[in-house]
Amino acid sequence: MQRLSGKVALVTGAGRHRGLGLAIAERLGREGAKVVVTDIGVPATDLGSDRIGTIAEMNTVVEALRAAGVDAVACALDVRDEVQVQRAIETAVERFGALDILVNNAGVGFLMEPLVEMSRERWQTVLDVNLLGAFLCTKHAARRMIAQGTGGRVINIASVAAKSGSIHLAAYAASKHGMIGLTRSAALELGAHRITVNAVCPNHVTTGLGALQNDYRAKQRGQSVEEYLAEMRGRIPLGRVGLAADTAKAVAFLASDEAQYITGEAMNVSGGQEVH
């Protein structure tokens, strides 16, 4: 399928080999989009050097995409920095001539601890990456899309934690609940410009960072990782945990013309786990 032929997409937080962002970038590319792959690139003391997409890894991700026939380029981007956000969008326009699709995927979901023990600094880190970053990217992508006059797509990667609470993930859940509010408000404002804004709400996906959550939850419950995952599958009506490809397919649909009359929605991709 080439539903996105001629379109240009920017995907944040896509610079890791086992990441959800890469799966999204691959799917958009397979459907014809040209893709700007972004990640923070350089170590950040509040995020941990082993939990970010480095420039070197991001370049290998782009090489793999190109080998698969996707026209892709890498761009370092800390979504908390408004100047870097503007530069990333300029990179998309300079390299490919436009920006049609923004996927706000960059997020922090690995800072897990009890609410009463979480520091203000760690809380702020989660909110800044997950919510402030989505706001800044949406703001500047929308400006570009409005100037182009051809509409556009903004797709926010939220979570089932955007609709239900999650133990030891208060900051994450708060940021993702906020992302849904941002999605709905932006949809109201940008609809007149034919820019749709939607969110995708996956359940747990065992990416590289998802594996850290598995380890944490298993230890919290006194289980092995295998026991924890088996218990998780038992809570999901379709009987399996989510795959990165499940979310990527939903993103590709929302980015396509088939979804041109859908905006302000928060689509569950959870195998029936989240029924709101």
Side-chain angles (χ1 to χ4, degrees):
M1 297 179 68
Q2 292 286 299
R3 294 182 293 184
L4 305 178
S5 180
K7 301 298 184 182
V8 179
L10 188 153
V11 185
T12 68
R16 306 212 72 183
H17 278 290
R18 292 180 60 197
L20 186 58
L22 174 55
I24 293 168
E26 287 177 334
R27 183 72 192 204
L28 297 180
R30 279 170 48 198
E31 299 216 17
K34 300 173 183 180
V35 183
V36 180
V37 171
T38 80
D39 217 304
I40 193 169
V42 296
T45 56
D46 55 347
L47 297 177
S49 60
D50 62 332
R51 298 178 180 181
I52 64 170
T54 63
I55 291 175
E57 185 174 10
M58 193 168 21
N59 286 334
T60 64
V61 162
V62 168
E63 288 172 6
L65 288 170
R66 289 174 178 168
V70 178
D71 196 351
V73 64
C75 179
L77 170 61
D78 184 336
V79 296
R80 301 170 292 183
D81 185 324
E82 191 161 9
V83 172
Q84 290 189 41
V85 169
Q86 291 173 285
R87 288 175 182 165
I89 291 169
E90 289 169 2
T91 295
V93 175
E94 289 169 3
R95 179 62 182 268
F96 298 127
L99 178 64
D100 305 294
I101 302 161
L102 168 68
V103 182
N104 284 312
N105 171 72
V108 174
F110 52 81
L111 295 181
M112 304 178 68
E113 60 188 321
L115 173 68
V116 296
E117 297 176 13
M118 189 168 209
S119 68
R120 177 190 176 113
E121 290 75 22
R122 283 163 73 87
W123 173 277
Q124 197 63 56
T125 293
V126 176
L127 269 290
D128 283 351
V129 175
N130 296 4
L131 189 53
L132 173 64
F135 156 67
L136 292 175
C137 290
T138 299
K139 170 185 172 181
H140 289 285
R143 284 183 175 179
R144 177 63 202 180
M145 292 172 185
I146 291 169
Q148 291 172 177
T150 54
R153 302 283 188 270
V154 176
I155 302 162
N156 296 320
I157 307 304
S159 166
V160 293
K163 300 182 179 183
S164 298
S166 188
I167 293 172
H168 294 190
L169 277 172
Y172 181 80
S175 71
K176 295 300 186 179
H177 275 69
M179 180 178 269
I180 299 305
L182 173 63
T183 298
R184 291 169 175 163
S185 298
L188 293 175
E189 291 194 36
L190 299 177
H193 303 284
R194 291 184 292 134
I195 300 169
T196 67
V197 188
N198 292 289
V200 177
C201 301
N203 60 348
H204 177 78
V205 179
T206 302
T207 58
L209 295 181
L212 296 174
Q213 291 184 345
N214 292 343
D215 290 339
Y216 183 95
R217 292 296 196 202
K219 290 176 183 176
Q220 179 190 6
R221 296 163 180 252
Q223 299 173 316
S224 68
V225 170
E226 292 73 21
E227 289 170 336
Y228 169 66
L229 290 175
E231 182 181 289
M232 182 188 298
R233 287 192 293 271
R235 298 194 301 267
I236 300 171
L238 290 185
R240 67 168 175 84
V241 297
L243 303 175
D246 297 320
T247 298
K249 291 173 186 176
V251 171
F253 165 69
L254 289 171
S256 74
D257 285 345
E258 294 172 355
Q260 64 182 316
Y261 199 59
I262 300 173
T263 196
E265 298 294 340
M267 177 191 294
N268 296 327
V269 182
S270 67
Q273 178 182 346
E274 179 61 59
V275 295
H276 286 77

